[in-house]
Amino acid sequence: MTAELPDILIQEVAPRDGLQIEPQWIETDDKVRLIDSLSAVGFRRIEVSSFVSSKAVPALRDAGEVFASIRRRPGTIYTALIPNRKGAELALAARADELNFVMSASETHNRANMNMTHDRSLASLAEIVEPACTAGALVNATIATAFGCPFEGVQPSGKVLDIVKRYLDLGADGITLADTTGMANPNQVSRLVAEVLTVLPSDKLTLHFHNTRGLGLVNVLAAYDSGARRFDAALGGLGGCPFAPGATGNVCTEDLVNLCHEIGLRTGLDLDRLIDLSKRLPALVGHDVPGQVAKAGRPLDLHPIPERLQQHPA
Ligand code: COA
Ligand code: ZN
């Protein structure tokens, strides 16, 4: 790797995955301020919002206004999640740099989340690639519940691989494997990532883990060891799918950045600035957030030696 390129690419999804599940309305200006602050930290990709039914996800019903108001940092790709052609049209009108199309590996979760069968979702993807290309936008395609579905259980890797191939045939530029409700384990992750990397180069594959069962960071490491280099994460560990029972937050960005730096992987991101931003989240969302490093401090933020020990050194 050259000096400028990070060893691992961390893509920030808090404005979309993080805020979609928040019950309290967050003002458009506050969303824009959060995204502008994340841009200033230097993320190469930020998922800004989603163009979905406002009945399904009322928390993000201001996606168009948010896109119109953010300050775009040159070099950063601003992504919009979309489920169908209407979402693609709205996202392209809002000048999203990338459309993130989502379908679940599990038909049951796809119906719960998108009210669509696989055939209908794939027909939508087929319709959106050309208008995206004409507009100069990228198309990423996500496989939700790729490691397990809260209704159907584990999804066979052959099924996931078939969807990867369909996505590529339909013209997707990149693919995300999403562990929507934190059901993945490191052994499963190693196997699936290795399989998918036989049909897709690592710069086109993103892993999207939720920390629902505390396995988020070990799954990232397992994926990294199997050759994955792009990961989604959310500031403060916010996040969750409103249509998956028991869903909780994404892998926490600053916890992941801390892990990477501790083991010598360059992220190109400034941990101190992320911690400062994360500390502002409880005021924004109205509750504590799961991230741990922002609470504990960096490992070498040392504490004063207790006075008692200073007076009587060993
Ligand atoms: N953006 C905004 N509005 C949309 C839309 C989109 N992408 N797609 C459809 N709509 C509107 C329709 O215009 C219609 O509006 P109306 O009631 O005012 O006429 C309404 O939503 C229903 O449209 P329909 O095509 O019948 O969709 P549906 O009710 O079957 O819902 C989805 C399908 C995909 C729109 C809906 O399930 C959805 O938005 N899901 C997203 C869930 C999500 O974001 N999950 C978390 C991220 S993975
Ligand atoms: Zn998610």
Side-chain angles (χ1 to χ4, degrees), residues 101-114:
F101 168 85
V102 178
M103 179 183 86
S104 304
S106 137
E107 285 263 9
T108 313
H109 185 259
N110 204 50
R111 279 173 39 224
N113 194 32
M114 301 298 189

Side-chain angles (χ1 to χ4, degrees), residues 59-202:
L60 300 183
R61 62 180 183 266
D62 55 355
E65 289 161 81
V66 172
F67 262 98
S69 309
I70 53 173
R71 272 199 305 271
R72 296 176 192 233
R73 175 182 167 274
T76 296
I77 293 169
Y78 294 92
T79 300
L81 182 146
I82 55 125
N84 57 12
R85 189 186 179 128
K86 176 163 183 172
E89 285 166 359
L90 292 169
L92 294 175
R95 293 194 303 116
D97 301 309
E98 180 181 65
L99 310 181
N100 184 18
F101 168 85
V102 178
M103 179 183 86
S104 304
S106 137
E107 285 263 9
T108 313
H109 185 259
N110 204 50
R111 279 173 39 224
N113 194 32
M114 301 298 189
N115 198 25
M116 292 199 268
T117 59
H118 276 175
D119 284 348
R120 194 158 154 229
S121 282
L122 290 167
S124 296
L125 177 60
E127 285 175 352
I128 67 170
V129 171
E130 200 200 300
C133 189
T134 307
L138 297 163
V139 176
N140 188 74
T142 290
I143 306 177
T145 66
F147 298 90
C149 163
F151 309 111
E152 290 184 8
V154 174
Q155 298 296 297
S157 64
K159 183 179 182 185
V160 176
L161 212 66
D162 282 347
I163 299 174
V164 169
K165 290 176 187 157
R166 284 299 299 279
Y167 279 178
L168 292 174
D169 288 346
L170 290 171
D173 300 294
I175 288 179
T176 297
L177 302 180
D179 183 23
T180 309
T181 56
M183 291 171 69
N185 68 68
N187 294 350
Q188 179 196 20
V189 168
S190 300
R191 282 195 302 270
L192 190 57
V193 167
E195 268 188 76
V196 170
L197 287 178
T198 62
V199 295
L200 187 71
S202 63

